[in-house]
Amino acid sequence: SVSPHDSTGANLIVQVKNNRVMRVVPFENDAVNECWIADRDRFSYEALNGEDRLTKPMIKQGGQWSEVSWQVALEYVANGIKSVQRDHGSNAVGALVSPHSTLEELYLAGELMRGLGSQNVDYRLRNAEFEKTDGSVRWLGRSVASLSGLNTVLIVGSNVRKEHPLFAQRIRQAARNGCVVSAINAKNYDLAMPVAHQLVAAANQWAYALSSVAAAIAQSKAIEAPNNAGTVTPESIEIARALLSGEQKAILLGNAVAHHPQASTLLAIANWIGAQTGASVGFLTEAANTVGAQWVGATPGAEGLHAGQMLAGGIKAVVLLNTEPAFDSAVGAQALQGCDMVVSLSPFKANMDIADVLLPVAPFTETSGSFVNAEGLLQSFHAVVKPLGDARPAWKVLRVVGNLLGVAGMDFESSQDVLAVATRSQNQVPATQLNNGTKTNMAVSAPAAQDPVVASIYQLDGIVRRAPSLQMTADARQSSEVVAP
C-alpha cells in the first residue's frame, strides 16, 4: 500500500489477519522512502479498528441520529442538495475536501460540484491566503531521492524532523556528507542534524527575514536587490554565502509557509533567491495528495468560493470529504452550522455536531486508489481488507450521488477508470504543470496580521487523530501550534 499521511508517498506492507489490519511495516523503495516509514505510517492503523468507525449511514432528524439504509441516505442527500439549488442557486453548494483523500475521490468531488453548476471546491482548509489557481501545481521542486545529495539547503517555516521525517532523514544523510543546512523558523528547532545557520524570527517577520537573505545575495553579486529588501545581517550573509556555493541546492518551504497570510510573497522572494543562486525552490507539501489535489482540480474555478469563504458561511450545502473542519481548518466549523445541508463522507463518526448525514466511506486500506507525492509521482494501491460494515469506497459514493443528481460523465465502473480520465493515463504530474510560480512582486508589506497555525503531526488527519498509541506521545499533546516565538 501507500501511506495516506505526509507527502513522501511511503510504500507500505500491510499485514492482515481475519480481514483486520494487524501490522504495518515498510516496503522498500529507494526512490521514495528507502527502507523507512514514519511512526504515523506504522501505528495509525489502530484507528481503523477503533470504536469510532462509522459502519452504517446515519441521518440526524430532530437532533437525534439514526441508522438508515444507503438508499435512504443517498436520496436524502440528493433531495437536500436539490432543495438548496432551487432556493439559493448552484453557487450555494460546495465541497471541502481533504488532501489525504485519494486522487480518484478528489477528482470526482470536483466533477460533482462542476456538474451541479458550482465551482466551489477546495482542499486548502488550513490556508490563510488563497491565490487564484492558474493550472500550475506547487510541488517539491526536485525528486525526493535528490534530497540526499544536496550540498546546500535552506528550510523555511518547517520543523522538518517532525512534519516530514523521511525528507529530514534524507537531508540528514546529505548533512553527514557536508551539506550546509540553514533554516528560517519561529523557533530554534532540534532537527537532529547539524544546522550551520539558523535565523529565528516571528512568523509575521519571515518575509522580511527572507528578503534580508535576498539583499545579502544582491550585495554579494553587486546587483540590484528586490523591492523593500530587508537589512543585511550577519546571519543573512552566512545563509547567502551558503546558497551561492555548491552545485546541488534547494530552498524548501514548509507547511507554515503554505498556510501563511503572506505565502505568495514568501514564494516570490524564494524564487528570486533561487534564480540568483541556482537553487531549486519547492514546497514540502503537507499531505499525501496535496500535489494530486491541485493536479485534478480540487480547487475553485474563476467564479468559485475558496475554502476560507466557504468556512465563513458562504454556502448553504456542503460536502465534507474525509475532513473535519473543526480540526482541519484555520477557522473552525462554526459557520457551517448555518448550512441547510451538511454531508460528511468519512470512515469515522465525524462532524456529528454540524452534519445532517453521515456516509461511511472506506479508509485507504479498504479501497483502491492513488496518491501523488511531493515530487509529482503517482502511486496506486489496492484494498487490503474488505470495507468494514456497510462502508463503501468514497469514489463509488460520489459517483452514485452524481447519478442521483443527474451529473453527466460519472458512470465509472472502477477506480482505475476514474484514474485514467482524471490523469489522462499519466503516472506523473506533467512537467508543464509542475510550477512553483513566476510571480515577481516581492514587495514586503507590513507584518501579517495573523500567524499561521500548524497542526501537530498527530492531528493532521482523522486517522492519526484516532490512533491511541500516537495520541499518547508528547508530540500529540501539542494539539496545534501558533508558529511564533
Side-chain angles (χ1 to χ4, degrees), residues 20 31 80 83 94 142 157 206 229 255 260 349 460:
R20 184 183 174 100
S83 177
R142 57 172 50 244
W206 284 350
N255 298 347
H260 201 283
K349 295 172 184 175
L460 273 177

Side-chain angles (χ1 to χ4, degrees), residues 402-438:
N403 293 156
L404 290 173
L405 290 168
V407 176
M410 293 189 71
D411 296 320
F412 296 101
E413 295 297 323
S414 68
S415 65
Q416 288 80 9
D417 291 342
V418 181
L419 179 65
V421 173
T423 66
R424 297 174 180 84
S425 300
Q426 298 182 74
N427 63 3
Q428 187 106 8
V429 182
T432 53
Q433 286 186 270
L434 290 170
N435 180 358
N436 280 309
T438 57

Side-chain angles (χ1 to χ4, degrees), residues 111-139:
E111 287 300 287
L112 174 63
M113 290 301 112
R114 288 184 281 270
L116 293 173
S118 169
Q119 297 181 36
N120 307 330
V121 57
D122 208 346
Y123 75 93
R124 302 168 297 175
L125 277 73
R126 290 193 173 96
N127 283 30
E129 181 191 69
F130 299 90
E131 282 200 306
K132 288 294 184 182
T133 55
D134 60 1
S136 63
V137 174
R138 292 184 176 182
W139 67 303

Side-chain angles (χ1 to χ4, degrees), residues 11-24:
N11 291 196
L12 313 175
I13 296 172
V14 183
Q15 299 180 350
V16 175
K17 183 177 181 180
N18 296 330
N19 204 49
R20 184 183 174 100
V21 176
M22 304 297 291
R23 191 172 182 230
V24 177

Side-chain angles (χ1 to χ4, degrees), residues 199-244:
L199 203 166
V200 176
N204 63 12
Q205 295 289 337
W206 284 350
Y208 188 81
L210 192 58
S211 70
S212 72
V213 176
I217 290 168
Q219 184 181 84
S220 177
K221 297 182 70 174
I223 60 175
E224 185 177 350
N227 295 336
N228 296 338
T231 303
V232 174
T233 65
E235 294 90 346
S236 66
I237 290 172
E238 291 300 327
I239 294 173
R241 185 175 294 140
L243 287 169
L244 287 165

